[in-house]
């Protein structure tokens, strides 16, 4: 098991099977196995079950006669699903395991960006509370979010978890998602109606770059833009332009292409932008939740029953 796991689910896994636990995230430097390296490790441990988060599961791994593969992701894109299916190996996944965590990060970015929490914190730490002869009450006034309209682009597990949180804060929530009947707005309609636009879609051929200069121009003046999904969904240069001309009043971003933002990037110098390094799902609860999901599904599989979360159920037969 190279995925980070904890809590009652992890204890249950230890009762079900003999566990070799070596989480990738606790290594210094970080370790992510290639398919060849993972196959070598599995063979060395004489393992017939593997639970991964980031390691590549393909090629030689699929030739080892594994009883099951579990990937602690909603979309197990680190696993060759077709290859596993051809080899007759069940692939388990953990959809929604970080939905609450990412939804909470979305709310945190919204509040931090609209209430200018980071520059206010910097003034306190720097002894500049009364900077330039002004008082904080003058410099950090903002608009309340209650009574505003939030538009969610994507209404999967994270989008739904975000929806009820924002509703609880007094926002009217609308959504666009062609794959969810509860989302009743087209994208253009949503952009023209929302005071807050928050992205929660997966990156696909249809969604990559879906928010560009044209879409920013179609948004309401003074909109707040949030992206806790993937940076590939929006055009960063177009966002910078929209922030500079005031179309976008504030932004909160938890992801950057290549997991990196240069220190001289224009976004870095904007006090109305909050930047976090892809930590939306980084909670202990996420690790406990994915452990429980894997444990429950492995228990079902080992007992000859159908797991609740399996990507290729056809391998189980009729």
């Amino acid at each position: 098991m190279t995925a980070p796991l904890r809590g009652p689910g992890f204890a249950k896994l230890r009762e079900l099977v003999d566990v070799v636990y070596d989480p990738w995230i606790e290594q210094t430097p970080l370790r992510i196995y290639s398919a060849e390296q993972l196959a070598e490790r599995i063979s060395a441990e004489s393992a017939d079950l593997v639970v991964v988060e980031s390691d590549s599961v393909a090629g030689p791994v699929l030739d080892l006669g594994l009883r099951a593969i579990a990937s602690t992701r909603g979309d197990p894109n680190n696993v060759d699903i077709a290859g596993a299916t051809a080899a007759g190996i069940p692939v388990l996944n953990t959809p929604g395991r970080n939905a609450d965590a990412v939804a909470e990060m979305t709310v945190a970015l919204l509040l931090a960006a609209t209430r200018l929490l980071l520059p206010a914190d910097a003034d306190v730490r720097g002894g500049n509370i009364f900077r330039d002869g002004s008082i904080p009450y003058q410099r950090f006034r903002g608009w309340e979010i209650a009574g505003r309209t939030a538009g969610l682009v994507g209404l999967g597990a994270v989008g739904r978890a975000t929806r009820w949180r924002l509703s609880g804060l007094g926002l009217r929530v609308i959504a666009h998602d062609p794959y969810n009947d509860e989302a009743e707005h087209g994208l253009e309609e949503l952009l023209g109606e929302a005071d807050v636009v928050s992205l929660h879609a997966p990156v696909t051929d249809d969604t990559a770059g879906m928010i560009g200069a044209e879409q920013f121009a179609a948004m309401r003046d003074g909109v707040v833009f949030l992206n806790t999904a993937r940076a590939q969904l929006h055009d960063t240069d177009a966002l910078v332009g929209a922030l500079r001309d005031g179309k976008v009043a504030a932004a909160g971003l938890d992801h950057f292409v290549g997991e990196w933002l240069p220190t001289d990037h224009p976004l870095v110098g904007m006090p109305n932008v909050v930047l976090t390094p892809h930590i939306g799902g980084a909670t202990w609860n996420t690790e406990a939740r994915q452990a429980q999901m894997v444990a429950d599904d492995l228990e079902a599989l080992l007992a000859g029953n159908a797991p609740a979360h399996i990507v290729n159920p056809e391998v189980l037969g009729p």
Side-chain angles (χ1 to χ4, degrees):
M1 298 184 177
T2 62
L5 306 166
R6 66 182 56 246
F10 190 30
K12 182 176 182 177
L13 281 168
R14 289 188 178 278
E15 294 174 358
L16 288 171
V17 295
D18 293 328
V19 172
V20 176
Y21 182 58
D22 188 16
W24 72 276
I25 202 169
E26 295 180 10
Q27 309 302 314
T28 304
L30 288 178
R31 181 206 66 212
I32 298 178
Y33 285 137
S34 67
E36 291 73 20
Q37 291 169 327
L38 182 60
E40 183 178 349
R41 182 68 189 277
I42 292 170
S43 296
E45 303 290 355
S46 299
D48 59 358
L49 299 167
V50 63
V51 181
V52 299
E53 184 171 63
S54 297
D55 299 324
S56 178
V57 185
V61 177
L62 305 179
D63 297 329
L64 298 177
L66 295 174
R67 297 181 65 182
I69 297 163
S71 174
T72 57
R73 294 169 175 262
D75 175 13
N77 54 15
N78 58 323
V79 179
D80 177 2
I81 303 299
T85 302
I89 305 171
V91 178
L92 310 177
N93 65 333
T94 57
R97 96 268 191 219
N98 64 357
D100 285 331
V102 178
E104 288 184 2
M105 176 60 75
T106 302
V107 174
L109 289 175
L110 172 60
L111 294 172
T114 57
R115 296 304 302 270
L116 298 173
L117 296 188
L118 296 189
D121 175 88
D123 276 4
V124 174
R125 294 175 187 271
N128 293 317
I129 291 178
F130 301 106
R131 177 163 48 87
D132 301 326
S134 67
I135 63 172
Y137 203 94
Q138 292 171 295
R139 299 194 305 276
F140 299 118
R141 282 174 292 181
W143 293 103
E144 297 171 7
I145 59 174
R148 298 302 185 94
T149 297
L152 307 182
V153 180
L155 202 58
V158 176
R160 295 192 301 272
T162 302
R163 177 175 59 181
W164 69 256
R165 285 170 168 83
L166 294 181
S167 296
L169 289 172
L171 287 90
R172 168 178 171 256
V173 183
I174 59 177
H176 165 70
D177 188 330
Y179 303 101
N180 190 320
D181 292 339
E182 296 179 22
E184 299 178 348
H185 282 63
L187 180 59
E188 183 176 354
E189 181 186 12
L190 180 146
L191 297 178
E193 193 172 331
D195 301 297
V196 177
V197 173
S198 188
L199 304 189
H200 302 286
V203 177
T204 66
D205 291 341
D206 292 331
T207 63
M210 68 186 301
I211 305 296
E214 179 181 348
Q215 286 72 34
F216 282 116
M219 295 180 190
R220 302 188 68 178
D221 292 341
V223 68
V224 178
F225 178 74
L226 306 171
N227 188 347
T228 53
R230 288 292 186 272
Q232 291 87 343
L233 296 174
H234 73 263
D235 182 328
T236 300
D237 290 339
L239 172 60
V240 169
L243 284 159
R244 283 175 169 165
D245 66 22
K247 167 62 76 170
V248 175
L253 309 173
D254 186 46
H255 200 274
F256 315 103
V257 175
E259 305 289 356
W260 179 259
L261 190 69
T263 56
D264 60 352
H265 194 279
L267 289 171
V268 174
M270 296 181 171
N272 56 339
V273 177
V274 182
L275 307 168
T276 53
H278 194 180
I279 57 173
T283 67
W284 305 119
N285 309 74
T286 293
E287 295 180 5
R289 194 173 296 114
Q290 64 194 25
Q292 190 67 59
M293 296 173 76
V294 169
D296 291 345
D297 282 344
L298 274 180
E299 180 181 47
L301 189 66
L302 295 175
N305 300 317
H309 311 101
I310 180 170
V311 181
N312 54 351
E314 60 270 29
V315 303
L316 300 180

